[in-house]
């Protein structure tokens, strides 16, 4: 069945401000398709961002939207979810927003297992501010602040959030919108904290500085760096170097969710009086 | 638009209680209908947070200990937009971290309450010792132009009463509101009388009306919550009446920031509260707030015993400052003194309002203000050494 995108978009905000060819368009499309497949009311959805290119998304989506401060989207979202556990809370964030300035909030949201879905658009760079290196910029890559090559060791975002306790961890990429939609839908229906890392392209800021200035070329470059989770299992560590496994990386359905746990504690406490 | 008012029975049975300032503030929050608390431990405010854990079940409220103060204030704003009446508590160093969120709350007009139990600073300073060093931080700590409301309790009773008022003012004006207590009040134990009923003010609502502008002269637009069918658009960027970003529109910026500032400044005399003591024939005026006002009250009565006609002006709201009341109180006095547990903060506000020389009396030794410090200050500078 055809998806009515306009149902989910504030069309009066179009045209959007993302660069032509930006991966965020593919990602927002996948998010809308996932919402539509689940047939959730837009009134039951809270969509939250921090700062950066991803932070324009709440302006374009027609639901309860909160465009917050840099790195804090998960804390704002925690407040919404904890005050209204009946709502679906979704956060979109970039690699800098989520893992640098928001790194502390990220690991603690993972640890709490609160039922929020986080989509991290990982394009290896600070796009909006002019191409500074981020916590996921590869070693040797050029950025506005690493003109002779980056020396910082990057985070593996999916491994980071898995280690911090996220109970649903998936990695997708902008070269496969269909798989991405499926992974996001899986995160939305997962009861607990879910993270979907999306390998995305910033040809404008990252590509131009690293000899892949064309959007399609960069998306192809990203696609070629991915292997399916199943393939990855058969590969040696040497073969997996510079490769990213995509698909559902981790899911724990045993762990209880934060708001549910809190309600149990309060029920117990109220018996005490 | 105008807030709505609800009167409810006080959650604690009406009686006299003996409790700590931090605990009284928590009880005030519960009485005010606080149903969301996010916080991070910091001395000397932790007792308040712990009391909230136990008491929030009274309002079916939620308690969460966040990873830091930035997370706490951010969670409060999320909860506020989800329709809750949120609060946090902290002290100077934590307040510094909250400034980013305070600015966002002011910009998006999200009601919330911060109880700041001030300690001696700067930086880590003396964590267990009192100070009044956050007067400017609560007012000017976040970048650019905005207004807030700050109340200053001088007793455990007022820690209870003014925390209730803080919730009501936050809701009525859609503005972050502070209870600026200090360690002396936070850790003081004394009697609190709990009345039969509590008045709770609720943010104005008007379904379908824009949440970020109003033609109402009080400048407070209605505030819907997430999930009430309005598909809200909330942003810390400059926005128009419906929340649409207007980051290149100078008229929209001027109008928005003008209204954020104006809605408090225009209501300043309505919000402002103060008390006066022995002013009738006063020649010496002491302006004091919070714990220092207790010492000042003692000091003026001792000065009067020695024939010095001293009176006290005590602001209960530090922001906005009760300007008209102060001008009236200072009209026929010869000298004005401002004792503070800092190197001189409110004294600057008093000077600005009165356009005259005002003498600061500073006691910055990590101790509560002593009446003798005030007496010495008044005698020394008023040429009355005996």
């Amino acid at each position: 069945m055809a998806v009515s995108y306009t149902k989910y978009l504030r069309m009066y905000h179009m045209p959007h401000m993302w660069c032509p060819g930006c991966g965020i368009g593919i990602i927002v499309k996948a998010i809308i398709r996932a919402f539509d497949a689940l047939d959730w009311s837009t009134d039951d959805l809270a969509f939250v961002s921090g700062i950066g290119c991803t932070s324009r998304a709440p302006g374009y989506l027609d639901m309860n939207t909160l465009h917050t401060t840099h790195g804090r989207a998960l804390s704002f979202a925690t407040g919404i979810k904890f005050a209204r556990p009946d709502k679906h809370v979704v956060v979109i964030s970039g690699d800098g927003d989520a893992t640098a300035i928001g790194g502390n909030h990220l690991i603690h949201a993972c640890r709490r297992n609160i039922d929020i879905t986080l989509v991290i658009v990982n394009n290896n760079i600070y796009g909006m501010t002019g191409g500074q290196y981020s916590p996921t910029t590869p070693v040797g890559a050029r950025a506005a602040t690493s003109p002779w090559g980056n020396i910082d060791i990057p985070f593996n975002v999916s491994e980071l959030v898995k280690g911090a306790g996220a109970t649903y961890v998936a990695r997708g990429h902008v070269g496969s919108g269909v798989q991405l939609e499926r992974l996001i839908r899986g995160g939305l229906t997962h009861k607990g904290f879910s993270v979907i890392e999306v390998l995305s392209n910033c040809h404008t800021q990252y590509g131009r500085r690293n000899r892949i200035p064309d959007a399609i070329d960069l998306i192809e470059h990203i696609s070629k760096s991915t292997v399916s989770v199943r393939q990855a299992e058969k590969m040696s560590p040497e073969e997996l170097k510079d490769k990213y496994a995509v698909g559902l990386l981790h899911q724990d359905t045993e762990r209880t969710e934060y708001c549910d746990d809190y309600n149990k504690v309060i029920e117990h406490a109220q018996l005490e009086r | 638009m105008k807030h709505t008012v609800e009167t409810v029975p006080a959650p604690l049975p009406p009686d006299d209680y003996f409790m700590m300032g931090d605990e009284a503030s928590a009880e005030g929050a519960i009485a005010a209908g606080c149903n969301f608390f996010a916080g991070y431990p910091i001395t000397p405010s932790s007792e308040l947070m712990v009391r909230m854990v136990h008491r929030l079940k009274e309002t079916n409220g939620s308690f969460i200990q966040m990873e830091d103060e930035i997370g706490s204030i951010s969670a409060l704003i999320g909860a506020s937009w989800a329709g809750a009446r949120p609060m946090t508590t902290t002290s100077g160093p934590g307040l510094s971290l909250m400034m980013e969120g305070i600015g966002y709350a002011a910009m998006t007009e999200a009601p919330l309450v911060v109880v700041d139990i001030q300690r001696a600073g700067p930086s880590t300073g003396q964590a267990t010792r009192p100070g009044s060093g956050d007067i400017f931080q609560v007012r000017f700590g976040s970048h650019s132009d905005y207004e807030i409301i700050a109340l200053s309790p001088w007793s455990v009773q007022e820690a209870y009463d003014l925390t209730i008022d803080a919730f009501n003012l936050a809701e009525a004006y859609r503005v972050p509101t502070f209870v600026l207590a200090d360690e002396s009040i936070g850790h003081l134990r004394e009697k609190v009388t709990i009345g039969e009923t509590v008045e709770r003010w609720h943010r104005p609502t008007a379904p379908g009306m824009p949440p970020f502008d109003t033609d109402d002269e009080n400048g407070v637009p209605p505030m819907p919550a997430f999930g009430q069918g309005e598909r809200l658009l909330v942003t810390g960027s400059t926005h128009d009446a419906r929340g649409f970003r207007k980051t290149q529109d100078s008229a929209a910026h001027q109008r928005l920031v003008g209204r954020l500032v104006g809605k408090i400044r225009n209501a300043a005399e309505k919000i402002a509260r103060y008390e006066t003591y022995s002013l009738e024939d006063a020649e010496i005026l002491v302006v004091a707030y919070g714990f220092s006002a207790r010492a000042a009250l003692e000091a003026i009565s001792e000065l009067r015993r020695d024939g010095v006609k001293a009176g006290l002006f005590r602001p209960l709201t530090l922001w906005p400052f009760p300007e008209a009341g102060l001008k009236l109180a200072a009209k026929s006095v010869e000298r004005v003194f401002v004792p503070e547990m800092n190197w001189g903060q409110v004294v600057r506000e008093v000077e600005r309002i009165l356009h005259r020389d005002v003498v600061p009396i500073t006691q910055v030794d990590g101790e509560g203000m002593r009446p003798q410090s005030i007496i010495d200050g008044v005698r020394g500078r008023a040429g009355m050494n005996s």
Side-chain angles (χ1 to χ4, degrees):
Chain A
M1 202 173 67
V3 174
S4 168
Y5 294 99
T6 52
K7 181 182 155 194
Y8 298 92
L9 291 169
R10 294 182 171 126
M11 292 308 290
Y12 43 77
H13 268 187
M14 299 296 144
H16 63 73
M17 52 66 70
W18 292 312
C19 300
C22 177
I24 296 180
I26 297 166
I27 297 163
V28 169
K29 178 178 176 177
I31 291 172
I32 290 176
R33 291 182 68 91
F35 286 158
D36 197 70
L38 295 168
D39 202 24
W40 285 347
S41 157
T42 50
D43 195 40
D44 289 333
L45 275 162
F47 192 76
V48 186
S49 81
I51 294 289
C53 293
T54 53
S55 81
R56 297 280 63 79
Y60 303 139
L61 288 179
D62 197 8
M63 47 196 66
N64 299 290
T65 57
L66 193 63
H67 166 224
T68 75
T69 51
H70 199 16
R72 322 298 175 209
L74 281 172
S75 302
F76 283 77
T78 299
I80 297 170
K81 183 67 185 179
F82 200 36
R84 289 296 302 270
D86 57 316
K87 299 294 171 197
H88 305 293
V89 182
V90 182
V91 175
I92 190 166
S93 188
D95 39 303
D97 195 44
T99 71
I101 190 165
N104 197 29
H105 309 302
L106 173 67
I107 56 175
H108 288 277
C110 292
R111 177 177 69 83
R112 264 182 215 117
N113 199 35
I114 189 162
D115 190 14
I116 291 171
T117 299
L118 168 66
V119 177
I120 300 178
V121 178
N122 181 0
N123 60 12
N124 313 105
I125 201 92
Y126 284 86
M128 189 169 272
T129 48
Q132 297 80 8
Y133 64 83
S134 87
T136 63
T137 303
V139 169
R142 288 169 199 275
T145 44
S146 63
W148 301 284
N150 176 38
I151 57 169
D152 287 19
I153 307 292
F155 273 141
N156 179 325
V157 175
S158 288
E159 289 301 320
L160 172 72
V161 296
K162 184 180 155 189
T167 50
Y168 179 100
V169 182
R171 188 188 283 123
H173 66 104
V174 288
S176 177
V178 174
Q179 180 195 40
L180 188 56
E181 179 202 326
R182 184 170 52 78
L183 295 173
I184 293 171
R185 205 167 62 220
L188 292 172
T189 51
H190 173 79
K191 183 90 173 161
F193 191 71
S194 52
V195 183
I196 300 94
E197 178 192 4
V198 191
L199 308 178
S200 187
N201 61 302
C202 180
H203 46 285
T204 307
Q205 298 291 6
Y206 183 81
R208 278 192 307 155
R209 287 188 175 84
N210 292 281
R211 300 200 182 94
I212 319 175
D214 179 75
I216 302 299
D217 291 346
L218 187 51
I219 292 172
E220 265 186 18
H221 173 81
I222 291 166
S223 298
K224 280 180 189 157
S225 75
T226 63
V227 293
S228 73
V229 172
R230 209 170 293 167
Q231 278 176 299
E233 280 167 3
K234 297 179 201 143
M235 291 164 71
S236 67
E238 292 76 40
E239 289 171 315
L240 277 171
K241 195 171 175 292
D242 297 326
K243 294 282 182 196
Y244 294 92
V246 292
L248 178 59
L249 304 176
H250 168 72
Q251 187 168 21
D252 177 353
T253 52
E254 300 293 304
R255 253 192 75 188
T256 49
E257 193 271 335
Y258 188 79
C259 298
D260 286 350
D261 285 352
Y262 185 79
N263 285 340
K264 276 184 211 138
V265 168
I266 292 303
E267 275 170 31
H268 174 77
Q270 279 172 337
L271 288 177
E272 259 186 6
R273 32 172 151 191
Chain B
M1 287 182 60
K2 201 161 160 48
H3 57 277
T4 56
V5 178
E6 173 198 22
T7 305
V8 298
L12 275 185
D15 204 345
D16 288 346
Y17 294 83
F18 188 67
M19 61 174 86
M20 205 192 266
D22 279 352
E23 295 167 343
S25 192
E27 290 301 335
I30 297 298
C34 174
N35 55 9
F36 190 95
F37 186 101
Y40 187 81
I42 185 168
T43 303
S45 74
S46 302
E47 292 88 345
L48 204 168
M49 177 164 86
V50 170
R51 182 82 163 203
M52 289 303 285
V53 178
H54 291 272
R55 296 289 290 145
L56 270 167
K57 57 187 180 186
E58 194 79 44
T59 53
N60 284 318
S62 310
F63 173 92
I64 186 167
Q65 188 173 308
M66 294 297 287
E67 52 275 9
D68 57 27
E69 286 88 349
I70 305 171
S72 304
I73 193 79
S74 303
L76 253 59
I77 300 165
S80 187
W81 276 104
R85 288 165 79 88
M87 180 178 93
T88 189
T89 180
T90 190
S91 192
L95 191 66
S96 299
L97 287 181
M98 288 183 184
M99 281 305 150
E100 170 189 298
I102 298 300
Y104 186 93
M107 186 63 151
T108 61
E109 303 174 77
L112 56 86
V113 172
V114 178
V115 180
D116 176 22
I117 311 294
Q118 299 169 91
R119 64 193 222 187
S123 191
T124 309
Q126 293 187 317
T128 62
R129 299 290 188 160
S132 305
D134 301 347
I135 311 297
F136 286 161
Q137 186 177 205
V138 293
R139 173 65 188 85
F140 298 107
S142 198
H143 52 280
S144 201
D145 299 294
Y146 63 101
E147 291 274 341
I148 52 90
I149 296 173
L151 308 165
S152 169
W154 80 333
S155 64
V156 175
Q157 180 71 51
E158 275 191 357
Y160 176 80
D161 294 336
L162 295 189
T163 302
I164 297 173
D165 294 344
F167 273 89
N168 289 344
L169 291 166
E171 292 279 321
Y173 291 95
R174 286 185 57 185
V175 71
T177 300
F178 297 84
V179 178
L180 262 178
D182 58 56
E183 188 275 341
S184 314
I185 299 296
H187 285 166
L188 183 69
R189 287 176 190 276
E190 59 187 9
K191 191 179 86 173
V192 179
T193 303
I194 307 285
E196 301 220 334
T197 58
V198 187
E199 210 173 83
R200 289 179 186 168
W201 299 0
H202 297 279
R203 57 192 74 169
T205 52
M209 292 298 285
F212 300 109
D213 203 354
T214 178
D215 292 329
D216 195 297
E217 61 176 19
N218 76 358
V220 184
M223 183 174 178
F226 279 12
Q228 292 178 343
E230 304 216 13
R231 304 199 304 280
L232 295 172
L233 174 49
V234 183
T235 176
S237 299
T238 297
H239 46 272
D240 68 10
R242 294 276 174 193
F244 303 155
R245 289 174 84 248
K246 293 284 173 193
T247 55
Q248 304 296 326
D249 182 333
S250 58
H253 192 69
Q254 173 94 6
R255 182 171 171 84
L256 173 62
V257 180
R259 189 177 54 75
L260 296 180
V261 170
K263 70 177 177 180
I264 303 303
R265 288 197 186 170
N266 297 337
E269 286 304 324
K270 212 163 115 188
I271 299 167
R273 284 167 58 191
Y274 62 92
E275 282 179 359
T276 60
Y277 298 85
S278 308
L279 274 192
E280 302 71 32
D281 58 344
E283 292 165 357
I284 299 293
L285 177 66
V286 178
V287 180
Y289 56 93
F291 187 83
S292 296
R294 298 167 74 105
L297 188 63
E298 174 67 22
I300 62 161
S301 75
E302 205 159 312
L303 285 163
R304 276 188 176 265
R305 277 200 291 278
D306 292 346
V308 180
K309 289 179 181 168
L312 171 64
F313 179 88
R314 180 172 82 90
L316 278 76
T317 54
L318 291 179
W319 306 109
F321 201 89
E323 299 200 12
L326 177 66
K327 282 178 186 159
L328 195 68
K331 211 170 173 185
S332 45
V333 301
E334 283 162 23
R335 303 297 296 262
V336 181
F337 296 85
V338 182
E340 299 183 80
M341 285 143 61
N342 57 45
W343 280 106
Q345 297 195 10
V346 164
V347 65
R348 299 170 68 131
E349 189 67 358
V350 173
E351 269 174 340
R352 180 187 70 75
I353 295 163
L354 297 180
H355 298 291
R356 62 187 278 181
D357 283 343
V358 177
V359 184
I361 300 173
T362 57
Q363 185 195 307
V364 188
D365 55 1
E367 303 282 348
M369 179 64 72
R370 288 178 292 274
Q372 196 59 47
S373 300
I374 301 172
I375 293 166
D376 292 348
V378 170
R379 285 192 179 287
R381 292 297 290 273
M384 287 180 290
N385 281 313
S386 56

